[in-house]
């Protein structure tokens, strides 16, 4: 193979790596990371923060009977892996004015693990029937 062909292949591989989605998270590791959230959140009921059951597909700021900040209440997006990833990286930058007093999770791997766990746990009938 010519030098040029090798260089082209290397470039393509680098571009592919940059564009590839992050590897799927590990829900077992995510369960342990949720301990950081459990100071304020529960799956099945509102505490300092809103309940997380039913999170995926729910509009931001719309859990029944929870008093949100005006910023979260008027947010127009829905929760999915992408919006959660952005919010959890830096809550106050993503939703300026949010009252979620948490600095965020800077490590993308940890966010992926947590989101993988949330996807399962927030739809778990045993936890979320109430
Ligand atoms: C210090 C308390 C606290 C901690 C710790 C905390 N949160 Fe929150 N969270 C809140 C509060 C309060 C709100 C409501 C924010 C608002 O109304 O602006 C909230 C809102 C949210 C929302 C929006 C839910 C909705 O119904 O729109 C998500 C998602 C969320 N938190 C996830 C997490 C996750 C995941 C963690 C752990 C990494 C976490 N939070 C840690 C207090 C906390």
């Amino acid at each position: 193979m010519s030098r040029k062909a090798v260089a082209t292949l290397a470039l393509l591989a680098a571009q592919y790596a940059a564009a590839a989605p992050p590897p799927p998270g590990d829900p077992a590791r995510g369960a342990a990371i949720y301990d950081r959230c459990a100071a304020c959140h529960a799956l099945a009921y509102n505490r300092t923060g809103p309940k997380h059951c039913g999170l995926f597909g729910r509009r931001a700021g719309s859990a029944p009977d929870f008093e949100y900040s005006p910023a979260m209440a008027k947010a127009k997006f829905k929760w999915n892996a992408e919006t959660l990833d952005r919010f959890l990286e830096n809550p106050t930058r993503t939703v300026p004015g949010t009252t979620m007093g948490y600095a965020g999770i800077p490590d993308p791997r940890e966010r992926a693990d947590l989101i993988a766990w949330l996807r399962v746990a927030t739809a778990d009938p045993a936890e979320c029937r109430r």
Side-chain angles (χ1 to χ4, degrees):
M1 202 183 290
S2 77
R3 250 168 210 275
K4 188 158 180 251
V6 171
T8 305
L9 277 180
L11 187 68
L12 281 174
Q15 280 174 348
Y16 177 76
D26 175 352
R29 289 168 46 137
I33 296 168
Y34 192 70
D35 287 351
R36 301 177 207 168
C37 321
C40 298
H41 287 279
L43 287 171
Y45 51 92
N46 295 332
R47 297 181 63 210
T48 305
K51 68 173 184 174
H52 280 150
C53 279
L55 189 65
F56 284 75
R58 185 164 90 196
R59 194 175 60 75
S62 69
D65 304 320
F66 185 82
E67 218 169 292
Y68 288 94
S69 65
M72 189 66 82
K74 67 173 203 271
K76 289 281 190 290
F77 60 88
K78 284 186 179 168
W79 292 119
N80 55 40
E82 198 183 303
T83 53
L84 281 169
D85 186 58
R86 229 177 304 142
F87 179 66
L88 294 175
E89 181 183 11
N90 190 331
T92 47
R93 193 182 61 208
T94 308
V95 181
T98 181
T99 45
M100 174 154 139
Y102 184 75
I105 300 177
D107 181 347
R109 174 87 254 173
E110 286 192 343
R111 291 198 305 277
D113 292 343
L114 176 60
I115 290 164
W117 182 79
L118 280 170
R119 190 189 283 285
V120 178
T122 60
D124 178 355
E127 287 285 348
C128 298
R129 209 169 9 213
R130 289 161 271 191

